[in-house]
């Protein structure tokens, strides 16, 4: 497994007056490693920043079901070079699924003035005895929260 962010563009199917639907993660996706731990849904208010955190063992697949978020991923270099900072707008305006492997700092900020609904699929279930999560201040890599 490489230590890099991977993206999947999601297809939206307009069902007219009934609304619409889109797939997120499929068992036959090329970047899916086949391990299922749990799904989590987070409802986040405007202006909130969630993160930064990383997992040492867990792979996380994230998409925004409602609203829009700025997703930030930071890969630290072992040398003295600056970290690699990647930003993605995801949600109703850009339907993508983001795969975040272990060792990458990540978090997101709700955009606009409406709440966002985020879906996470983790390859391991949450274990309160081993949270596998390291946290940092949201500004520890500078103000990365601007589009």
């Amino acid at each position: 497994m490489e230590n890099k962010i991977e993206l999947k563009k999601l297809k939206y199917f307009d069902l007219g007056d009934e609304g619409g639907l889109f797939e997120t993660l499929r068992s036959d996706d090329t970047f899916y490693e086949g391990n299922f731990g749990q799904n989590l849904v987070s409802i986040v208010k405007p202006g909130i920043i969630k993160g930064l955190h990383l997992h040492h063992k867990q792979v996380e697949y994230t998409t925004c079901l409602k609203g829009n978020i700025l997703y930030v991923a930071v890969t630290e270099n072992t040398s003295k070079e600056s970290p690699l900072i990647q930003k993605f707008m995801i949600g109703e305006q850009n339907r993508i699924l983001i795969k975040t492997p272990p060792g990458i700092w990540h978090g997101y900020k709700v955009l606009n003035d409406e709440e966002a609904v985020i879906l996470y699929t983790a390859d391991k279930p949450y274990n309160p005895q081993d949270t596998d999560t390291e946290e940092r201040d949201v500004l520890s890599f500078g103000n990365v929260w601007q589009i």
Side-chain angles (χ1 to χ4, degrees):
M1 169 180 35
E2 283 190 59
N3 193 19
K4 68 175 189 168
I5 294 292
E6 293 182 65
L7 304 177
K8 173 188 173 184
K9 184 75 176 157
L10 303 179
K11 296 177 188 167
Y12 181 80
F13 301 94
D14 188 346
L15 301 178
D17 291 343
E18 294 179 24
L21 65 90
F22 60 96
E23 296 177 338
T24 57
L25 187 62
R26 295 174 48 103
S27 64
D28 59 356
D29 281 335
T30 57
F31 75 170
Y32 181 56
E33 296 175 17
N35 299 317
F36 175 77
Q38 70 182 74
N39 282 330
L40 300 161
V41 175
S42 180
I43 301 169
V44 185
K45 304 287 184 196
I48 298 297
I49 297 174
K50 299 287 275 187
L52 288 165
H53 70 281
L54 69 69
H55 303 287
H56 295 281
K57 302 175 219 166
Q58 177 178 293
V59 176
E60 193 173 277
Y61 303 86
T62 305
T63 194
C64 182
L65 303 176
K66 179 179 181 277
N68 294 286
I69 62 172
L70 174 65
Y71 189 93
V72 174
V74 181
T75 305
E76 288 187 284
N77 295 316
T78 54
S79 66
K80 299 280 186 192
E81 294 179 35
S82 298
L84 172 63
I85 298 171
Q86 296 174 281
K87 299 179 185 185
F88 308 94
M89 189 187 71
I90 65 174
E92 294 173 31
Q93 295 175 351
N94 186 29
R95 295 189 191 282
I96 58 174
L97 179 68
I98 297 178
K99 175 186 175 184
T100 307
I104 295 179
W105 294 96
H106 57 285
Y108 58 85
K109 175 184 174 182
V110 176
L111 300 174
N112 309 325
D113 291 327
E114 62 180 82
E115 69 183 17
V117 179
I118 316 302
L119 171 66
Y120 309 95
T121 299
D123 72 337
K124 295 173 180 45
Y126 177 75
N127 178 353
Q129 282 73 46
D130 178 11
T131 62
D132 184 42
T133 303
E134 191 175 331
E135 296 183 21
R136 279 199 178 166
D137 182 88
V138 296
L139 297 176
S140 60
F141 295 103
N143 188 5
V144 297
W145 304 102
Q146 303 300 315
I147 296 178

